[in-house]
Amino acid sequence: MTSRHATWSVEAGQQVLDSLPSDERLILPALQAIQHEFGYVPREAVAIVASFVNVSVADTHGVLTFYHELRTTPPAPVTVSLCMAEACQAVGVRSVAEDVAKAIAPLGQRSSDGSVDVVEVFCLGNCALGPTALVNERLIGKVSAESLVRAVASAREGVNA
Amino acid sequence: MTRVYVPRDSAARSIGADEVAVAILTEAALRGVDVELVRNGSRGMLWAEPLVEVVTDAGRIGYAGITSDKVAELFDAGFLTGGEHASSLGVVDDIAWLKDQQRVTFARMGITDPVNLDDYQAHGGLRGLRRALELGSEATVEEVLASGLRGRGGAGFPAGIKWRTVMQAQADQKYIACNADEGDSGTFADRMLMEGDPFTLIEGMTIAGVTTGATIGYVYSRSEYPDANNTMREALAVAYEHGLLGADVLGSGKAFDLRLRVGAGAYICGEETAMLDSLEGLRGMVRAKPPIPALEGLFGKPTLVNNVMTLGTVPAILADGAAAYQAFGTERSRGTQVFQIAGNVDRGGIVETGFGVTLAELVETYGGGTWSGLPVRAVQVGGPLGAYFPADKLDVSLDYESMIAAGGMVGHGGIVIFDETVDMSLQARFAMEFCSKESCGKCTPCRIGSIRGVETIDKIREGVDRANNLVLLNDLCELMTDGSLCAMGGLTPMPVQSALRHFPEDFQR
């Protein structure tokens, strides 16, 4: 399976950090840069970020676990982020989520074939055209389980291309 | 050569605008006609997206709800010269839905190419900054004060007072921090401005910088807004290239650097002090006030924290004067508010108009009722921390004071409509659940109270000792309101108690 992310190594991680502009040599931007490159923040990276920013491993771990989006395990090739906030609730996202649970995976879980993560998010700013989801970085409005299955398929083609 | 507009706004793209743009170019090539395609921002008529506009002698003619498979039909109908088609809306500027609005902050929205600085200036851009540079700091702050502009993020604090505090603060470094962490469900105005008219935000922040003496600014945006972030980056590069940003802003000798930072999925970072911690690269923990950020903010330095809509309104105030802006609105709520009509709505989108419009006008006149066609039952105003209003109480005036009197708040101007299928005890439960998931954890009423809130509402829903648990829930709500450090825990009771007050039957099923 081809990935949309690079493979982690200590050297590659250090390179990512070294290329950060001076005002982004802070814990959160450093962790985000690592995740952007490798898809997640490997355990090994925590101490490297801590030493790079010159803070404790505990502080770095604290930031890593605070933000919902930072992750410590590799993501599936495709991530479906389904908005579960009020404006989407008003147009039936709760039942869409039930359908998605059957068609792809329940919220917070990975599909049985390992290809898709389904995550819950709160508000994608498309509140007049909901229910809404992001499939990787593509925003899709008026979604149903069927339209998401199609979007996942086309995202997988993109990843594997 | 005919000019055709297809929005690049992510809402339009979420229902196929990119495919429509490609189809138009392909079809034009096939038919051998010259078309200049411009990707504009959205007009805010999200019910009409993807909205294709064609420049004709009569004006810009709009075609609503276009999908790629309708494009050939449009060519057949002669849309390039404004030909009739079932989807035609006529001249877009004449559409009542748009024409009856009072657009100030969103004046250029959907009209220009968002990342074209010439287009921006041709439509009034940079007049505000030039005037601010001429006026100097004191007079610029006076202008902002006189306009009556209040914080559009939700708190409604007078912007001019904040500006004056930062201007007068003595420090070796000051900052401008733009709060673009628009996490409230039902709000998308910040996103649309960043995607559709980013130079307005850049200009507003630059005015704030040169006025208060802050030489570095940050836009704190959300990772959930990838398109907005890309457009901001593009616009920032253009602004630097043209000397709007950098060491010598428009040749004034004043420096202002502006950078984009993106969060990582934490609603609490929309709270100003949590945002500052996050900008420092830390956990987004709420700080106790005082000290106020205007004196001790980012990295302990004086920092002007304003929302995208507040800063995005400043260029218009400076360009046309405080009096022009003052003319809109009601007594103590001056100017316009960019309302966002969302949820179960037939005609959702942006309605910018003076404060004092009623909720009913937005829901019925603009929104056209529900998308499902069922009767409206509840309307939540002001995001996840805002109150739910029942269908028979929509005659409330939307201004800061009236909303507080009615037990609600304007917040960031989000209006979320629910039809009669909504279960209000479930919505109350969600408010507590959301708080428990998004609390920074610093204070107990918010961190623990929200979890107890979910448990108590579950018991009420299941019919366990209902009368006592309702008393307990109200007691808990009062404690959270009074005892929380910030608005997260302090306002979570607002949707809960409004649901209890207006929809008691949903807690007795």
Side-chain angles (χ1 to χ4, degrees), chain B residues 268-321:
Chain B
I268 194 61
C269 291
E271 195 283 333
E272 64 171 349
T273 60
M275 180 188 80
L276 294 173
D277 269 21
S278 187
L279 274 172
E280 291 181 16
L282 308 171
R283 292 163 67 96
M285 302 292 281
V286 173
R287 302 177 185 175
K289 288 187 275 193
I292 55 170
L295 296 175
E296 283 181 47
L298 189 59
F299 300 110
K301 303 293 184 185
T303 304
L304 180 75
V305 181
N306 275 151
N307 172 259
V308 173
M309 286 299 111
T310 316
L311 290 161
T313 302
V314 167
I317 290 173
L318 266 298
D320 299 323

Short mmCIF file of all heavy atoms in Angstrom, two decimals, chain B residues 268-321:
data_model
loop_
_atom_site.label_atom_id
_atom_site.label_comp_id
_atom_site.label_asym_id
_atom_site.label_seq_id
_atom_site.Cartn_x
_atom_site.Cartn_y
_atom_site.Cartn_z
N ILE B 268 -11.42 24.70 22.36
CA ILE B 268 -11.09 25.65 23.43
C ILE B 268 -10.09 26.71 22.95
O ILE B 268 -10.01 27.80 23.51
CB ILE B 268 -10.57 24.91 24.69
CG1 ILE B 268 -10.56 25.84 25.91
CG2 ILE B 268 -9.19 24.33 24.46
CD1 ILE B 268 -11.92 26.38 26.32
N CYS B 269 -9.33 26.40 21.91
CA CYS B 269 -8.34 27.37 21.43
C CYS B 269 -9.00 28.59 20.77
O CYS B 269 -8.31 29.54 20.40
CB CYS B 269 -7.34 26.71 20.50
SG CYS B 269 -6.27 25.56 21.39
N GLY B 270 -10.32 28.59 20.66
CA GLY B 270 -11.02 29.79 20.25
C GLY B 270 -11.21 30.77 21.40
O GLY B 270 -11.58 31.92 21.20
N GLU B 271 -10.97 30.30 22.62
CA GLU B 271 -10.97 31.19 23.79
C GLU B 271 -9.66 31.95 23.74
O GLU B 271 -8.60 31.35 23.53
CB GLU B 271 -11.10 30.36 25.08
CG GLU B 271 -11.48 31.13 26.32
CD GLU B 271 -10.33 31.92 26.93
OE1 GLU B 271 -9.17 31.53 26.75
OE2 GLU B 271 -10.60 32.94 27.58
N GLU B 272 -9.70 33.27 23.95
CA GLU B 272 -8.52 34.05 23.59
C GLU B 272 -7.24 33.68 24.32
O GLU B 272 -6.17 33.65 23.73
CB GLU B 272 -8.79 35.56 23.71
CG GLU B 272 -9.09 36.03 25.12
CD GLU B 272 -9.14 37.57 25.20
OE1 GLU B 272 -8.74 38.24 24.24
OE2 GLU B 272 -9.57 38.08 26.24
N THR B 273 -7.34 33.36 25.62
CA THR B 273 -6.09 33.06 26.33
C THR B 273 -5.59 31.65 26.01
O THR B 273 -4.38 31.41 25.96
CB THR B 273 -6.26 33.22 27.86
OG1 THR B 273 -7.27 32.33 28.33
CG2 THR B 273 -6.66 34.65 28.21
N ALA B 274 -6.51 30.71 25.77
CA ALA B 274 -6.10 29.37 25.34
C ALA B 274 -5.43 29.47 23.97
O ALA B 274 -4.45 28.78 23.69
CB ALA B 274 -7.31 28.44 25.28
N MET B 275 -5.96 30.36 23.12
CA MET B 275 -5.36 30.57 21.81
C MET B 275 -3.93 31.09 21.94
O MET B 275 -3.04 30.66 21.22
CB MET B 275 -6.20 31.56 21.00
CG MET B 275 -5.61 31.82 19.62
SD MET B 275 -6.46 33.14 18.73
CE MET B 275 -5.72 34.58 19.48
N LEU B 276 -3.72 31.99 22.90
CA LEU B 276 -2.36 32.52 23.10
C LEU B 276 -1.40 31.41 23.53
O LEU B 276 -0.28 31.32 23.04
CB LEU B 276 -2.38 33.66 24.13
CG LEU B 276 -3.13 34.92 23.68
CD1 LEU B 276 -3.23 35.93 24.83
CD2 LEU B 276 -2.47 35.56 22.47
N ASP B 277 -1.86 30.55 24.45
CA ASP B 277 -1.02 29.42 24.86
C ASP B 277 -0.71 28.53 23.66
O ASP B 277 0.41 28.06 23.49
CB ASP B 277 -1.72 28.60 25.96
CG ASP B 277 -1.34 29.09 27.36
OD1 ASP B 277 -0.89 30.25 27.47
OD2 ASP B 277 -1.46 28.31 28.33
N SER B 278 -1.73 28.30 22.83
CA SER B 278 -1.52 27.45 21.66
C SER B 278 -0.55 28.11 20.67
O SER B 278 0.30 27.43 20.08
CB SER B 278 -2.87 27.17 20.98
OG SER B 278 -2.70 26.23 19.94
N LEU B 279 -0.65 29.44 20.52
CA LEU B 279 0.29 30.15 19.65
C LEU B 279 1.72 30.05 20.19
O LEU B 279 2.69 30.10 19.44
CB LEU B 279 -0.09 31.64 19.54
CG LEU B 279 -1.12 32.01 18.47
CD1 LEU B 279 -1.52 33.47 18.62
CD2 LEU B 279 -0.59 31.75 17.07
N GLU B 280 1.82 29.89 21.51
CA GLU B 280 3.15 29.71 22.11
C GLU B 280 3.62 28.26 21.97
O GLU B 280 4.69 27.90 22.44
CB GLU B 280 3.14 30.13 23.59
CG GLU B 280 2.96 31.63 23.78
CD GLU B 280 2.97 32.06 25.24
OE1 GLU B 280 3.40 31.27 26.11
OE2 GLU B 280 2.52 33.20 25.53
N GLY B 281 2.78 27.44 21.35
CA GLY B 281 3.15 26.04 21.10
C GLY B 281 2.78 25.10 22.22
O GLY B 281 3.16 23.94 22.23
N LEU B 282 2.00 25.61 23.19
CA LEU B 282 1.67 24.82 24.38
C LEU B 282 0.28 24.21 24.29
O LEU B 282 -0.45 24.42 23.33
CB LEU B 282 1.75 25.73 25.62
CG LEU B 282 3.06 26.51 25.76
CD1 LEU B 282 2.95 27.53 26.89
CD2 LEU B 282 4.23 25.55 26.01
N ARG B 283 -0.10 23.44 25.32
CA ARG B 283 -1.48 23.00 25.45
C ARG B 283 -2.36 24.24 25.49
O ARG B 283 -1.97 25.24 26.08
CB ARG B 283 -1.68 22.22 26.76
CG ARG B 283 -0.97 20.90 26.83
CD ARG B 283 -0.86 20.40 28.27
NE ARG B 283 -2.13 20.06 28.86
CZ ARG B 283 -2.64 18.83 28.91
NH1 ARG B 283 -1.97 17.83 28.37
NH2 ARG B 283 -3.80 18.59 29.49
N GLY B 284 -3.53 24.17 24.89
CA GLY B 284 -4.41 25.34 24.88
C GLY B 284 -5.17 25.46 26.19
O GLY B 284 -6.37 25.22 26.25
N MET B 285 -4.47 25.87 27.23
CA MET B 285 -5.09 26.00 28.53
C MET B 285 -5.52 27.45 28.76
O MET B 285 -4.80 28.38 28.45
CB MET B 285 -4.12 25.61 29.65
CG MET B 285 -3.57 24.19 29.54
SD MET B 285 -4.82 22.92 29.80
CE MET B 285 -4.92 22.94 31.60
N VAL B 286 -6.71 27.60 29.33
CA VAL B 286 -7.24 28.94 29.59
C VAL B 286 -6.42 29.59 30.71
O VAL B 286 -6.04 28.95 31.67
CB VAL B 286 -8.73 28.83 30.00
CG1 VAL B 286 -9.27 30.17 30.45
CG2 VAL B 286 -9.54 28.27 28.84
N ARG B 287 -6.14 30.88 30.53
CA ARG B 287 -5.42 31.62 31.57
C ARG B 287 -6.44 32.41 32.40
O ARG B 287 -7.45 32.86 31.87
CB ARG B 287 -4.46 32.63 30.95
CG ARG B 287 -3.41 32.04 30.03
CD ARG B 287 -2.58 33.18 29.43
NE ARG B 287 -1.62 32.67 28.45
CZ ARG B 287 -0.83 33.44 27.70
NH1 ARG B 287 -0.90 34.76 27.82
NH2 ARG B 287 0.01 32.91 26.84
N ALA B 288 -6.12 32.60 33.67
CA ALA B 288 -6.96 33.47 34.49
C ALA B 288 -6.68 34.92 34.10
O ALA B 288 -5.56 35.26 33.72
CB ALA B 288 -6.63 33.25 35.97
N LYS B 289 -7.73 35.75 34.12
CA LYS B 289 -7.54 37.18 33.86
C LYS B 289 -7.94 37.96 35.12
O LYS B 289 -8.93 37.60 35.73
CB LYS B 289 -8.42 37.62 32.69
CG LYS B 289 -7.93 37.12 31.34
CD LYS B 289 -8.71 37.69 30.18
CE LYS B 289 -9.96 36.90 29.90
NZ LYS B 289 -10.60 37.21 28.60
N PRO B 290 -7.28 39.04 35.49
CA PRO B 290 -6.10 39.61 34.86
C PRO B 290 -4.87 38.74 35.06
O PRO B 290 -4.93 37.87 35.91
CB PRO B 290 -5.97 40.97 35.57
CG PRO B 290 -6.58 40.76 36.91
CD PRO B 290 -7.68 39.78 36.69
N PRO B 291 -3.77 39.05 34.34
CA PRO B 291 -3.60 40.18 33.42
C PRO B 291 -4.37 39.99 32.12
O PRO B 291 -4.54 38.86 31.67
CB PRO B 291 -2.09 40.17 33.16
CG PRO B 291 -1.70 38.74 33.31
CD PRO B 291 -2.57 38.20 34.41
N ILE B 292 -4.83 41.09 31.54
CA ILE B 292 -5.52 41.01 30.27
C ILE B 292 -4.48 40.91 29.15
O ILE B 292 -3.38 41.45 29.27
CB ILE B 292 -6.43 42.25 30.04
CG1 ILE B 292 -5.65 43.56 30.17
CG2 ILE B 292 -7.63 42.22 30.97
CD1 ILE B 292 -6.42 44.78 29.71
N PRO B 293 -4.84 40.18 28.08
CA PRO B 293 -3.89 40.00 26.97
C PRO B 293 -3.40 41.32 26.37
O PRO B 293 -2.28 41.39 25.88
CB PRO B 293 -4.71 39.21 25.95
CG PRO B 293 -5.73 38.48 26.76
CD PRO B 293 -6.08 39.41 27.88
N ALA B 294 -4.23 42.37 26.43
CA ALA B 294 -3.82 43.65 25.86
C ALA B 294 -2.56 44.18 26.56
O ALA B 294 -1.79 44.95 25.99
CB ALA B 294 -4.94 44.67 25.97
N LEU B 295 -2.34 43.73 27.81
CA LEU B 295 -1.13 44.14 28.53
C LEU B 295 -0.10 43.02 28.63
O LEU B 295 1.09 43.24 28.47
CB LEU B 295 -1.50 44.65 29.94
CG LEU B 295 -2.37 45.91 29.94
CD1 LEU B 295 -2.80 46.26 31.35
CD2 LEU B 295 -1.62 47.09 29.30
N GLU B 296 -0.58 41.81 28.92
CA GLU B 296 0.32 40.66 28.97
C GLU B 296 -0.31 39.52 28.20
O GLU B 296 -1.09 38.75 28.74
CB GLU B 296 0.56 40.22 30.42
CG GLU B 296 1.53 41.10 31.17
CD GLU B 296 1.75 40.60 32.60
OE1 GLU B 296 1.98 39.39 32.78
OE2 GLU B 296 1.67 41.43 33.52
N GLY B 297 0.01 39.42 26.93
CA GLY B 297 -0.61 38.41 26.08
C GLY B 297 0.39 37.39 25.59
O GLY B 297 0.97 36.66 26.38
N LEU B 298 0.60 37.38 24.27
CA LEU B 298 1.48 36.39 23.66
C LEU B 298 2.91 36.59 24.18
O LEU B 298 3.45 37.70 24.13
CB LEU B 298 1.42 36.56 22.13
CG LEU B 298 2.11 35.49 21.29
CD1 LEU B 298 1.54 34.11 21.56
CD2 LEU B 298 2.00 35.82 19.81
N PHE B 299 3.51 35.52 24.66
CA PHE B 299 4.86 35.55 25.25
C PHE B 299 4.99 36.67 26.30
O PHE B 299 6.05 37.27 26.46
CB PHE B 299 5.93 35.70 24.17
CG PHE B 299 5.93 34.57 23.16
CD1 PHE B 299 5.52 34.79 21.84
CD2 PHE B 299 6.33 33.29 23.53
CE1 PHE B 299 5.51 33.74 20.93
CE2 PHE B 299 6.32 32.24 22.61
CZ PHE B 299 5.91 32.47 21.30
N GLY B 300 3.86 36.96 26.97
CA GLY B 300 3.88 37.96 28.03
C GLY B 300 3.88 39.41 27.55
O GLY B 300 3.99 40.33 28.34
N LYS B 301 3.74 39.59 26.23
CA LYS B 301 3.80 40.95 25.66
C LYS B 301 2.39 41.48 25.35
O LYS B 301 1.46 40.69 25.13
CB LYS B 301 4.62 40.92 24.36
CG LYS B 301 6.03 40.37 24.52
CD LYS B 301 6.89 41.29 25.36
CE LYS B 301 8.33 40.77 25.41
NZ LYS B 301 9.15 41.59 26.33
N PRO B 302 2.25 42.80 25.28
CA PRO B 302 0.94 43.36 24.93
C PRO B 302 0.46 42.82 23.58
O PRO B 302 1.19 42.85 22.60
CB PRO B 302 1.22 44.87 24.83
CG PRO B 302 2.43 45.09 25.68
CD PRO B 302 3.26 43.84 25.54
N THR B 303 -0.77 42.30 23.59
CA THR B 303 -1.28 41.63 22.39
C THR B 303 -2.72 42.03 22.13
O THR B 303 -3.56 41.94 23.01
CB THR B 303 -1.20 40.09 22.57
OG1 THR B 303 0.15 39.74 22.89
CG2 THR B 303 -1.65 39.38 21.30
N LEU B 304 -2.96 42.47 20.91
CA LEU B 304 -4.33 42.77 20.51
C LEU B 304 -4.96 41.50 19.96
O LEU B 304 -4.53 40.99 18.93
CB LEU B 304 -4.33 43.87 19.43
CG LEU B 304 -5.73 44.25 18.95
CD1 LEU B 304 -6.45 45.11 19.98
CD2 LEU B 304 -5.66 44.99 17.62
N VAL B 305 -5.95 40.97 20.67
CA VAL B 305 -6.65 39.79 20.19
C VAL B 305 -8.02 40.22 19.67
O VAL B 305 -8.83 40.75 20.41
CB VAL B 305 -6.83 38.74 21.30
CG1 VAL B 305 -7.54 37.51 20.76
CG2 VAL B 305 -5.50 38.35 21.92
N ASN B 306 -8.23 40.02 18.39
CA ASN B 306 -9.53 40.32 17.78
C ASN B 306 -9.91 39.18 16.84
O ASN B 306 -9.05 38.48 16.31
CB ASN B 306 -9.49 41.61 16.95
CG ASN B 306 -9.72 42.88 17.78
OD1 ASN B 306 -9.24 43.95 17.44
ND2 ASN B 306 -10.48 42.77 18.85
N ASN B 307 -11.20 39.03 16.64
CA ASN B 307 -11.72 38.02 15.72
C ASN B 307 -11.54 38.46 14.26
O ASN B 307 -11.35 39.65 13.98
CB ASN B 307 -13.21 37.82 16.07
CG ASN B 307 -13.92 36.94 15.07
OD1 ASN B 307 -14.63 37.41 14.19
ND2 ASN B 307 -13.70 35.65 15.17
N VAL B 308 -11.64 37.52 13.35
CA VAL B 308 -11.53 37.80 11.91
C VAL B 308 -12.53 38.87 11.47
O VAL B 308 -12.20 39.80 10.73
CB VAL B 308 -11.79 36.52 11.07
CG1 VAL B 308 -11.84 36.84 9.57
CG2 VAL B 308 -10.71 35.47 11.34
N MET B 309 -13.78 38.75 11.96
CA MET B 309 -14.82 39.69 11.53
C MET B 309 -14.53 41.11 12.06
O MET B 309 -14.80 42.09 11.38
CB MET B 309 -16.19 39.23 12.02
CG MET B 309 -16.77 38.05 11.29
SD MET B 309 -17.03 38.38 9.53
CE MET B 309 -15.78 37.34 8.83
N THR B 310 -14.01 41.20 13.27
CA THR B 310 -13.68 42.50 13.84
C THR B 310 -12.58 43.17 13.01
O THR B 310 -12.74 44.31 12.54
CB THR B 310 -13.19 42.35 15.30
OG1 THR B 310 -14.05 41.43 15.97
CG2 THR B 310 -13.17 43.68 16.02
N LEU B 311 -11.49 42.44 12.81
CA LEU B 311 -10.37 43.00 12.06
C LEU B 311 -10.75 43.22 10.59
O LEU B 311 -10.31 44.18 9.96
CB LEU B 311 -9.16 42.07 12.17
CG LEU B 311 -8.51 42.04 13.56
CD1 LEU B 311 -7.65 40.80 13.74
CD2 LEU B 311 -7.67 43.30 13.78
N GLY B 312 -11.60 42.35 10.07
CA GLY B 312 -12.02 42.46 8.67
C GLY B 312 -12.97 43.63 8.43
O GLY B 312 -13.21 44.01 7.28
N THR B 313 -13.51 44.18 9.51
CA THR B 313 -14.43 45.31 9.37
C THR B 313 -13.68 46.64 9.43
O THR B 313 -14.14 47.66 8.91
CB THR B 313 -15.50 45.26 10.49
OG1 THR B 313 -16.18 44.01 10.37
CG2 THR B 313 -16.52 46.38 10.37
N VAL B 314 -12.52 46.63 10.06
CA VAL B 314 -11.75 47.85 10.26
C VAL B 314 -11.41 48.59 8.95
O VAL B 314 -11.54 49.82 8.89
CB VAL B 314 -10.48 47.55 11.10
CG1 VAL B 314 -9.50 48.70 11.05
CG2 VAL B 314 -10.89 47.25 12.54
N PRO B 315 -10.99 47.89 7.89
CA PRO B 315 -10.67 48.62 6.65
C PRO B 315 -11.84 49.46 6.15
O PRO B 315 -11.66 50.61 5.74
CB PRO B 315 -10.32 47.51 5.65
CG PRO B 315 -9.82 46.40 6.51
CD PRO B 315 -10.66 46.45 7.76
N ALA B 316 -13.06 48.93 6.22
CA ALA B 316 -14.24 49.67 5.76
C ALA B 316 -14.51 50.88 6.65
O ALA B 316 -14.88 51.95 6.17
CB ALA B 316 -15.46 48.75 5.74
N ILE B 317 -14.30 50.71 7.96
CA ILE B 317 -14.52 51.83 8.89
C ILE B 317 -13.54 52.96 8.60
O ILE B 317 -13.92 54.12 8.55
CB ILE B 317 -14.37 51.34 10.35
CG1 ILE B 317 -15.54 50.43 10.72
CG2 ILE B 317 -14.28 52.52 11.32
CD1 ILE B 317 -15.42 49.76 12.07
N LEU B 318 -12.28 52.59 8.37
CA LEU B 318 -11.28 53.62 8.08
C LEU B 318 -11.52 54.24 6.70
O LEU B 318 -11.38 55.45 6.52
CB LEU B 318 -9.87 53.03 8.16
CG LEU B 318 -9.14 53.18 9.50
CD1 LEU B 318 -8.95 54.65 9.84
CD2 LEU B 318 -9.85 52.50 10.65
N ALA B 319 -11.92 53.42 5.75
CA ALA B 319 -12.09 53.92 4.38
C ALA B 319 -13.25 54.90 4.29
O ALA B 319 -13.14 55.96 3.66
CB ALA B 319 -12.30 52.75 3.42
N ASP B 320 -14.37 54.57 4.94
CA ASP B 320 -15.57 55.39 4.78
C ASP B 320 -15.93 56.21 6.01
O ASP B 320 -16.92 56.95 6.01
CB ASP B 320 -16.76 54.50 4.38
CG ASP B 320 -16.50 53.78 3.08
OD1 ASP B 320 -15.89 54.40 2.18
OD2 ASP B 320 -16.86 52.59 2.95
N GLY B 321 -15.14 56.07 7.06
CA GLY B 321 -15.36 56.88 8.26
C GLY B 321 -16.27 56.21 9.26
O GLY B 321 -17.14 55.41 8.91
#
